[in-house]
């Protein structure tokens, strides 16, 4: 086992607007950590890993820059709508802290196989998230909706991650010599200051899964492989009046590799073999520019395409 202690500090200064004093943001944190590895059998590669850490995520420079970016669809002299908000940073953002514990079990199979399971939990304070709010702003005579990063409170996340790597013929003698790799992850999270349901962390689906394999032909320098990734669709409640959604994603890739010699090989790859249109967007409850209480929803369609690549790889 080993332990450590790190201190990190950041000081940022930036102008807010003409005629106003600069905004200054200072942050610093002590980050202790403790890691341990236990082998039930010292002669075996099997092991149990345990970690207790405190991580630190500072605001990006773009999140701290307070100068607004105006929505071009609604002139500055008038109001805008929640889904067509202006954008601005927040020079008063505090760093996000997460105290976490991890427990992993690794089981090594005969040959090069590996089975592993990992459980984790993170308790987060000063969680950062971009939220749309109606604000009184200096650049307009009427209040306008502004999308601005905020510290929205505390959150907790936990999950289970399973991974397997093995050659099929090492487990079943009659199976082809295919190197199989697979992983499945299940996540759960909750932002405490946001009412449920779906008050999860941003961009965290309920699960992800990958399945892939590689086959090397005997008697010829050719390897074929592929991978399939699946992410379910999910909805995230950002605040009591704001939600975001993401559609399901399935991505399949394949490749062929011809090795001329250890220093020269040719790779042909196909990415996104089953292209689909992905949807994402948001909805906000609030008054429109006429003052009526409505639910305003925006949806973006992102088309995808098959990507083909032929690459000659040389080692110098």
């Amino acid at each position: 086992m080993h332990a450590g202690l790190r201190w990190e500090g950041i000081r940022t200064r930036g102008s807010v607007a003409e005629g106003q004093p600069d905004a200054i943001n200072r942050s610093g944190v002590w980050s202790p950590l403790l890691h341990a590895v236990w082998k039930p059998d010292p002669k075996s590669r099997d092991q149990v890993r345990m970690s207790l850490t405190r991580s630190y995520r500072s605001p990006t420079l773009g999140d701290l820059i307070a100068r607004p970016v105006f929505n071009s669809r609604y002139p500055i002299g008038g109001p805008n709508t929640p889904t067509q908000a202006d954008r601005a940073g927040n020079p008063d953002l505090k760093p996000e802290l997460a105290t976490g514990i991890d427990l992993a079990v690794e089981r090594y199979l005969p040959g090069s196989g590996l089975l592993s399971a990992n459980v984790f939990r993170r308790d987060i304070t000063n969680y950062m998230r971009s939220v749309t709010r109606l604000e009184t702003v200096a650049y307009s005579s009427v209040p306008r909706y502004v999308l601005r990063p905020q510290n929205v409170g505390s959150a907790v996340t936990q999950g289970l991650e399973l991974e397997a790597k093995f050659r099929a013929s090492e487990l079943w003698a009659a199976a082809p010599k295919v190197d199989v790799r697979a992983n499945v992850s299940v996540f759960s999270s909750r932002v405490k200051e946001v009412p449920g349901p779906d008050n999860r962390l941003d961009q965290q689906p309920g699960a992800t899964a990958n399945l892939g394999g590689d086959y090397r032909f005997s008697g010829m320098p050719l390897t074929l492989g592929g991978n399939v990734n699946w992410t379910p669709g999910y909805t995230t409640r950002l605040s009591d009046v704001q939600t975001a959604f993401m559609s399901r994603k399935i991505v399949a890739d394949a490749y062929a590799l011809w090795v001329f010699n250890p220093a020269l090989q040719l790779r042909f790859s196909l990415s996104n073999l089953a292209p689909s249109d992905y949807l994402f967007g948001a909805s906000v409850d609030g008054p429109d520019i006429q003052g009526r209480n409505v639910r305003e929803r925006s949806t973006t369609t992102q088309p995808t395409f098959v990507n083909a690549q032929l690459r000659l790889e040389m080692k110098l």
Side-chain angles (χ1 to χ4, degrees):
M1 61 185 303
H2 70 272
L5 182 65
R6 185 185 69 173
W7 181 84
E8 181 177 357
I10 297 176
R11 181 180 184 272
T12 306
R13 187 179 72 180
S15 60
V16 179
E18 295 294 337
Q20 295 188 22
D22 290 351
I24 299 177
N25 186 297
R26 295 184 179 90
S27 61
V29 64
W30 288 99
S31 299
L33 57 90
L34 176 66
H35 298 290
V37 177
W38 174 57
K39 291 190 174 184
D41 182 358
K43 298 180 181 180
S44 172
R45 293 186 297 170
D46 299 345
Q47 60 185 17
V48 178
R49 292 185 292 106
M50 295 158 283
S51 297
L52 179 62
T53 59
R54 191 185 192 198
S55 57
Y56 169 74
R57 186 166 76 96
S58 61
T60 65
L61 187 60
D63 289 338
L64 293 172
I65 295 176
R67 290 195 173 188
V69 177
F70 311 118
N71 189 288
S72 59
R73 295 185 59 184
Y74 292 87
I76 298 177
N80 58 352
T81 64
T83 58
Q84 303 295 325
D86 301 333
R87 295 175 180 268
N90 183 358
D92 296 323
L93 273 181
K94 299 177 181 179
E96 186 178 291
L97 301 178
T99 302
I101 185 170
D102 294 75
L103 177 64
V105 179
E106 298 176 354
R107 169 69 173 173
Y108 288 85
L109 304 176
S112 57
L114 170 66
L115 300 176
S116 68
N118 179 71
V119 292
F120 70 89
R121 178 184 171 94
R122 301 280 187 276
D123 288 305
I124 304 171
T125 57
N126 293 329
Y127 179 60
M128 292 184 293
R129 164 179 284 172
S130 293
V131 179
T132 300
R133 293 176 178 170
L134 187 64
E135 298 183 5
T136 299
V137 292
Y139 54 84
S140 177
S141 59
V142 298
R144 287 177 66 91
Y145 285 97
V146 180
L147 178 65
R148 191 189 300 273
Q150 306 281 350
N151 294 112
V152 297
S154 57
V156 60
T157 179
Q158 55 266 322
L160 170 65
E161 300 169 324
L162 304 175
E163 184 178 6
K165 297 179 182 180
F166 57 89
R167 176 164 290 183
S169 59
E170 294 177 348
L171 300 181
W172 303 281
K177 295 182 179 180
V178 177
D179 293 325
V180 180
R181 57 186 182 275
N183 63 73
V184 176
S185 300
V186 180
F187 306 106
S188 173
S189 61
R190 178 170 57 92
V191 179
K192 299 179 180 179
E193 280 71 19
V194 177
D198 302 322
N199 52 341
R200 68 178 81 239
L201 297 184
D202 296 349
Q203 301 180 356
Q204 186 188 69
T208 61
N210 287 277
L211 177 63
D214 305 283
Y215 179 74
R216 180 176 298 177
F217 289 85
S218 59
M220 59 189 306
L222 176 64
T223 301
L224 298 179
N227 187 82
V228 178
N229 172 265
W230 168 78
T231 303
Y234 59 96
T235 298
T236 305
R237 178 166 291 280
L238 304 177
S239 69
D240 56 342
V241 297
Q242 186 179 3
T243 62
F245 65 91
M246 179 72 69
S247 68
R248 182 188 66 176
K249 285 188 177 183
I250 299 178
V251 180
D253 306 321
Y255 76 92
L257 178 66
W258 186 277
V259 180
F260 296 101
N261 57 60
L264 182 65
Q265 59 187 21
L266 183 67
R267 183 187 301 270
F268 176 69
S269 59
L270 291 172
S271 303
N272 196 28
L273 290 174
S276 301
D277 290 345
Y278 300 124
L279 303 179
F280 60 92
S283 67
V284 182
D285 297 335
D288 62 8
I289 56 177
Q290 283 82 33
R292 299 169 299 183
N293 289 324
V294 298
R295 171 167 294 176
E296 190 170 326
R297 182 181 177 95
S298 64
T299 301
T300 300
T301 301
Q302 180 182 1
T304 64
F305 309 92
V306 177
N307 300 307
Q309 184 181 73
L310 182 64
R311 186 170 65 192
L312 184 65
E313 301 173 349
M314 295 179 289
K315 295 180 180 180
L316 303 179

